[in-house]
Amino acid sequence: MGLKSDDLARLSPAAQKQVMEKMQKPGKYKAQKTKRGKLTFDSKKEAERYDALMLLQKAGEIRGLKLQVRYCLQEAYTTFEGDKVKSIDYIADFVYERRTAPDSYGQRYWLPVVEDVKGYKNPSSAAYRVFSMKAKLFKSRFGYGIVEV
């Protein structure tokens, strides 16, 4: 015997919220989804990094902050036998440009930065091995690496 929508409707709003929270599936590595205004982040750590990057952007140290940018590491293709192979994509948590220190002429430049927030690193896990492979493909294709935070 399970809980039906009629049963849920009879509960108080506070009790409904509690039931809905219990029913939600926990995220990867027990990360808690966190909101910042209209944005929802996969973890507290990612939301805190967003806050820090917003402060850096307001201070002028970084510019062009973007979230969840997709990079194609390898295009999809069809083999000679007719088998379709899907593309390999990487979705970055944060992408922005950071200012360099002044060179000998006093000139400052903007360098691209791609960040991936890692709350829990387990080098033996399949997910981390996939990330490592994608990070190598990214560096090979774009000429700079992914910064792990």
Side-chain angles (χ1 to χ4, degrees):
M1 184 170 152
L3 188 65
K4 295 182 181 174
S5 60
D6 295 348
D7 300 327
L8 190 61
R10 285 192 294 252
L11 297 174
S12 69
Q16 287 179 11
K17 183 179 177 187
Q18 187 177 8
V19 168
M20 294 305 289
E21 286 173 358
K22 290 282 185 186
M23 290 173 57
Q24 285 184 345
K25 189 172 129 181
K28 188 167 42 170
Y29 303 115
K30 306 273 191 237
Q32 291 181 333
K33 294 226 182 239
T34 306
K35 288 193 171 236
R36 293 291 190 268
K38 293 182 180 179
L39 299 174
T40 301
F41 295 94
D42 289 335
S43 68
K44 278 189 196 177
K45 187 171 182 180
E46 193 174 330
E48 289 169 358
R49 182 61 183 157
Y50 171 76
D51 294 339
L53 290 172
M54 287 302 292
L55 288 174
L56 287 171
Q57 184 164 271
K58 285 179 184 175
E61 290 301 311
I62 68 169
R63 69 180 184 188
L65 178 62
K66 296 177 191 159
L67 284 68
Q68 303 295 310
V69 177
R70 180 180 299 271
Y71 290 93
C72 180
L73 304 176
Q74 178 182 304
E75 289 80 14
Y77 63 94
T78 305
T79 65
F80 292 117
E81 294 84 23
D83 298 328
K84 293 185 186 238
V85 178
K86 292 184 353 183
S87 66
I88 299 174
D89 294 332
Y90 166 70
I91 300 174
D93 290 332
F94 303 106
V95 175
Y96 57 90
E97 292 180 323
R98 71 169 177 83
R99 289 174 63 175
T100 63
D103 63 9
S104 57
Y105 299 105
Q107 185 68 36
R108 296 181 87 162
Y109 301 94
W110 292 96
L111 299 177
V113 178
V114 174
E115 280 190 6
D116 197 85
V117 177
K118 296 285 182 205
Y120 177 75
K121 289 185 197 176
N122 182 0
S124 63
S125 74
Y128 194 79
R129 288 194 302 268
V130 168
F131 170 76
S132 297
M133 182 260 319
K134 286 184 177 185
K136 290 174 190 174
L137 286 170
F138 184 93
K139 188 167 189 173
S140 172
R141 182 154 193 164
F142 296 101
Y144 57 96
I146 299 169
V147 178
E148 288 183 62
V149 181

